Amino acid sequence: MTVYAVALSKGGSTKTTTAAELVAALARRGRRVLAIDLDQQGNLTTRLGVTDDTEVSAVAADVLTAEATAPEAAIDAPSVPGASVLAGTHDLASLDHRPEVITALRDHLPEVAGEWDDVVIDTPPALGLVTLAALAAADVVVAAVACETEAYDQLDRLVEVIAQRIAPRMKPGQRVHWIVPTRYDGRRLLDRDVVDMLTEQHPGRVTTPVREAVAARDAYTSGMPVSVFAPGSPIAADYAAALAPIIGTPEPDAQVSAEHHATA
């Protein structure tokens, strides 16, 4: 079982969109995927098709506090066949005062490895204890970085926190494994500069960029990942190209998507 955590301590940095695409991409390969929503706003939960009418017996916060196991709390993701989700709720807000949650997922997920092939964790826009719990559990840390100065600056903070808080003991050797540049517009000098700087500072770990698109917002409103809502859209192709090296098997349109950036 591979555990992916998508993180960056900035709101609106496309973490949730990227996490949902990662869930969808793995599920399309026939993988059994558990999505864990650690953001109290529950945006990943919503994007995977869960609504207020969905019956939920336990939530992500209950798993972090050992009041429920992941198999007990997981529900089917309505918009992604083959995926399950631990719902993110406001209960998560109180957990940043409970230090025991930092190692909760790291210790619990190996116990349920037979239930799922992969786990994708979406994190809140902060580097509190809940995010640290995701980073301590992750085999692969993915930073979704919008092509803007604020998001770029926060990447350094994420790298620093992992080096100081996670890598020494909780998850030896932990680091940011992949960086996905998002909201990219090749016509903007800043966007090109951000991608160039990321590539220079993190060689071999930066994926092809994902363009900005209205389809991402429309897909959220419809409770779906972009690649489910608009599978033929340019942004869906971008995500296929970006996620291919992260999950291992190239998507058919990955090379085509990369070439499109020259004219995007």
Side-chain angles (χ1 to χ4, degrees):
M1 182 173 71
T2 302
V3 180
Y4 302 85
V6 184
L8 196 74
S9 56
K10 182 186 182 302
S13 64
T14 68
K15 285 190 304 295
T16 299
T17 304
T18 302
E21 291 309 308
L22 189 51
V23 171
L26 289 164
R28 278 194 295 273
R29 286 161 171 73
R31 309 283 290 177
R32 297 170 300 164
V33 187
L34 174 65
I36 303 180
D37 189 349
L38 293 188
D39 189 344
Q40 61 176 296
Q41 297 180 61
N43 289 337
L44 179 62
T45 305
T46 299
R47 193 176 274 279
L48 295 180
V50 177
T51 68
D52 291 339
D53 296 327
T54 304
E55 186 175 341
V56 178
S57 61
V59 296
D62 296 323
V63 176
L64 284 174
T65 56
E67 295 174 38
T69 66
E72 290 169 345
I75 57 174
D76 291 340
S79 64
V80 182
S84 305
V85 59
L86 298 183
T89 63
H90 290 292
D91 303 280
L92 290 160
S94 64
L95 300 189
D96 273 333
H97 304 290
R98 300 183 58 171
E100 69 271 18
V101 305
I102 297 181
T103 56
L105 292 177
R106 184 200 68 181
D107 296 342
H108 178 53
L109 290 177
E111 299 173 351
V112 298
E115 298 286 335
W116 295 282
D117 300 311
D118 299 294
V119 177
V120 177
I121 309 173
D122 188 27
T123 60
L127 290 172
L129 298 186
V130 171
T131 298
L132 295 182
L135 297 174
D139 299 306
V140 180
V141 177
V142 180
V145 180
C147 291
E148 53 192 41
T149 305
E150 296 90 339
Y152 174 82
D153 290 343
Q154 287 301 319
L155 177 61
D156 288 341
R157 177 61 179 152
L158 175 62
V159 170
E160 178 184 9
V161 167
I162 290 175
Q164 294 179 352
R165 300 289 302 276
I166 304 299
R169 289 189 177 183
M170 281 190 279
K171 186 80 171 185
Q174 187 65 291
R175 64 183 182 123
V176 174
H177 297 85
W178 291 99
I179 299 163
V180 182
T182 61
R183 291 187 174 165
Y184 177 81
D185 186 338
R187 297 168 298 183
R188 294 192 296 243
L189 176 60
L190 174 62
D191 295 36
R192 299 196 301 272
D193 286 347
V194 167
V195 172
D196 287 345
M197 288 187 292
L198 289 172
T199 302
E200 180 180 348
Q201 295 180 15
H202 305 276
R205 290 188 277 167
V206 181
T207 71
T208 53
V210 177
R211 77 193 74 196
E212 189 169 23
V214 174
R217 294 190 293 272
D218 292 344
Y220 175 79
T221 302
S222 298
M224 301 178 187
V226 177
S227 58
V228 175
F229 175 77
S233 64
I235 187 175
D238 288 354
Y239 265 117
L243 297 181
I246 297 175
I247 61 180
T249 306
E251 287 273 13
D253 296 330
Q255 184 60 41
V256 174
S257 174
E259 292 171 354
H260 281 175
H261 286 296
T263 56

